């Protein structure tokens, strides 16, 4: 199974990843400056959510494409596909 992301979805994912990149850079700077622990953890949490959302968007798009393309036609293929998608979702949990 290859998860191919559509151009519009890709743009959204890249934007989320750039946002997370900025947040992570901010967290590093905050730590280097000795900022308050609560503020650091809040920013780190925001970066983590941005990364999770990007991952879920990629997986959801892949699932949508698999269903649309009929890749899940055979019951054996469907079970393999389900297991792989489940593994991907759990990797973000």
């Amino acid at each position: 199974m290859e998860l191919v992301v559509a151009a519009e979805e890709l743009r959204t994912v890249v934007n989320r990843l750039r946002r997370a990149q900025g947040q992570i850079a901010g967290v590093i700077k905050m730590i280097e400056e000795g900022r308050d622990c609560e503020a650091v953890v809040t920013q780190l949490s925001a970066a983590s959510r941005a990364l999770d959302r990007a991952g879920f968007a990629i997986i959801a798009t892949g699932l949508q494409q698999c269903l649309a393309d009929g890749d899940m036609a055979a019951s054996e293929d469907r079970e393999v596909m389900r297991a792989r998608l489940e593994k991907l979702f759990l990797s973000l949990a």
Side-chain angles (χ1 to χ4, degrees):
M1 171 185 68
E2 184 176 325
L3 296 178
V4 180
V5 182
E8 183 60 36
E9 291 292 325
L10 182 60
R11 194 175 7 256
T12 301
V13 169
V14 169
N15 287 339
R16 286 183 176 159
L17 291 173
R18 285 194 177 122
R19 186 175 312 124
Q21 183 180 33
Q23 290 167 327
I24 291 168
V27 169
I28 292 168
K29 185 177 179 182
M30 292 170 76
I31 291 170
E32 291 173 343
E33 294 173 350
R35 295 277 303 272
D36 176 60
C37 178
E38 186 175 346
V40 171
V41 171
T42 298
Q43 284 303 308
L44 193 56
S45 176
S48 178
R49 282 192 310 272
L51 290 172
D52 287 346
R53 287 182 181 137
F56 286 129
I58 291 169
I59 293 169
T61 299
L63 176 59
Q64 182 181 6
Q65 289 175 350
C66 289
L67 292 173
D69 294 344
D71 288 346
M72 300 177 84
S75 63
E76 290 179 35
D77 291 339
R78 192 176 6 199
E79 185 59 29
V80 169
M81 182 74 66
R82 187 204 60 77
R84 292 179 75 183
L85 287 168
E86 181 180 347
K87 184 178 178 181
L88 287 174
F89 274 114
L90 290 175
S91 72
L92 294 173

